[in-house]
Amino acid sequence: MNLATRTARPLDHLVLPVADLARARRRLTDLGFTVAEDARHPFGTENACVFFSDDSYLEPLAVASREECEAAALDGNVFVARDQAFRFRQGPEGLSAVALGTPDAAEDHIRFRAHGISGGDMLEFSRPMRMADGREGLGSFRLAFAADLRAPDFFLFCCQRLRALPVDSAALHHHENGVLGIAEVVLSEPNPTDFQYLLQEAVAEREVAAHSFGMDIQAGSAKLSVLNPAGMEAFFGRTVSATERGLRGRVVVFRVANIEATRALFAQNDIEFAEMCGRLVVPEVPGQGVIFAFGE
């Protein structure tokens, strides 16, 4: 794909490893999210997704069958192998991957290989989705992986929705906290521009905004940011290591309709938060493995 003719890949979803899906569901519900029914992958993992009206979603991911996951990883399933590696190194909760939407994952796979950032073989699979009214549909996907050996705890993949999940938008897109979609995904790294090439190629976007706290790259309506330790402290009040290298998923920033209504809900549900830079910043707790921030 020529740089001049590239179409930037928009954010599709985020992979959020969790230790226990039921606990994650309780936490997300307390935060005011509407959570879809549990669903099982054919390779041993399970999820309970949160869908947004901007066509992005969160994928809290748990291990349903360790034996099936181990077999899939041994068979070359990059998605499962990466999930296992993340849990081994960082524990069972966090933000391990950013998925980007694509009309052609096979094209992306070829591009990733040509530019030396392929994370491994493509993956194609289907999974069922059960609706609240008992109906069930099937979603099918093809994934192309991008990764950097210097960042073992984070990867990206382009996700082609061969058959879209049958999301009931009237029910699943409505969230009591007023969230409309994902505004920003924040990663950390002491020297953010060391990973500029990986993000440019994964998103298929050459334009990068560099600043004293790191760099930003646009992925559709969402922004991918990589902040240095000073940036993490300034924007989110979080101290991170200045010597531990590699990209780490740190924060999901949500766009809300009315921040006052979100604040009132958090007070009602006894949700701990701080206010920084015009956002409500909720620290990670079990079931929510990274910082969540909410702003208009």
Side-chain angles (χ1 to χ4, degrees), residues 265-278:
L265 175 71
F266 288 173
Q268 174 187 314
N269 290 355
D270 198 26
I271 299 296
E272 176 189 352
F273 67 90
E275 299 197 40
M276 297 189 68
C277 306

Side-chain angles (χ1 to χ4, degrees), residues 159-171:
C159 177
Q160 182 180 358
R161 302 185 189 183
L162 300 173
R163 178 184 296 180
L165 288 167
V167 175
D168 182 349
S169 59

Side-chain angles (χ1 to χ4, degrees), residues 18-292:
V18 298
D20 179 79
L21 210 54
R23 182 168 61 184
R25 176 182 294 279
R26 290 193 298 272
R27 175 60 178 176
L28 292 168
T29 301
D30 286 346
L31 286 167
F33 291 107
T34 299
V35 186
E37 296 290 325
D38 293 2
R40 180 81 175 261
H41 290 132
F43 33 74
T45 51
E46 60 183 352
N47 61 29
C49 295
V50 177
F51 297 96
F52 303 117
S53 56
D54 67 354
D55 208 29
S56 67
Y57 63 98
L58 304 179
E59 183 184 12
L61 184 76
V63 175
S65 168
R66 184 170 302 278
E67 293 76 17
E68 289 180 36
C69 286
E70 290 175 352
L74 287 172
D75 196 41
N77 185 312
V78 175
F79 182 82
V80 176
R82 282 272 177 176
D83 180 67
Q84 288 188 320
F86 180 92
R87 293 173 192 273
F88 180 83
R89 286 175 48 83
Q90 297 299 333
E93 305 211 339
L95 166 57
S96 62
V98 168
L100 304 158
T102 181
D104 191 341
E107 180 184 84
D108 291 313
H109 178 64
I110 293 170
R111 180 165 55 88
F112 294 162
R113 291 189 63 179
H115 290 280
I117 62 166
S118 173
D121 293 340
M122 285 197 303
L123 174 66
E124 187 170 324
F125 69 95
S126 298
R127 78 156 175 89
M129 179 174 178
R130 188 171 65 254
M131 310 299 289
D133 62 6
R135 292 181 296 121
E136 191 170 277
L138 191 71
S140 299
F141 309 89
R142 182 179 293 139
L143 313 182
F145 300 94
D148 187 319
L149 289 173
R150 300 172 302 167
D153 302 315
F154 177 78
F155 66 107
L156 305 104
F157 59 93
C158 285
C159 177
Q160 182 180 358
R161 302 185 189 183
L162 300 173
R163 178 184 296 180
L165 288 167
V167 175
D168 182 349
S169 59
L172 293 178
H173 286 175
H174 174 75
H175 302 283
E176 192 179 3
N177 56 22
V179 169
L180 304 173
I182 299 171
E184 184 179 2
V185 184
V186 180
L187 314 175
S188 74
E189 151 63 29
N191 189 12
T193 54
D194 280 356
F195 292 92
Q196 176 176 330
Y197 179 72
L198 171 68
L199 295 182
Q200 283 178 306
E201 290 301 333
V203 181
E205 172 58 74
R206 75 168 83 187
E207 296 298 325
V208 173
H211 47 82
S212 59
F213 291 123
M215 65 176 186
D216 308 324
I217 186 167
Q218 203 66 30
S221 61
K223 180 171 65 175
L224 299 185
S225 300
V226 186
L227 298 181
N228 58 28
M232 286 297 301
E233 182 70 39
F235 294 121
F236 301 103
R238 177 54 51 85
T239 299
V240 299
S241 172
T243 58
E244 183 180 351
R245 302 301 307 273
L247 294 172
R248 290 286 306 278
R250 297 293 186 183
V251 186
V252 184
V253 180
F254 300 98
R255 187 181 301 107
V256 302
N258 184 329
I259 198 167
E260 294 302 326
T262 308
R263 182 187 287 108
L265 175 71
F266 288 173
Q268 174 187 314
N269 290 355
D270 198 26
I271 299 296
E272 176 189 352
F273 67 90
E275 299 197 40
M276 297 189 68
C277 306
R279 297 165 172 163
L280 309 181
V281 179
V282 180
E284 60 268 62
V285 299
Q288 175 208 324
V290 292
I291 297 167
F292 282 179

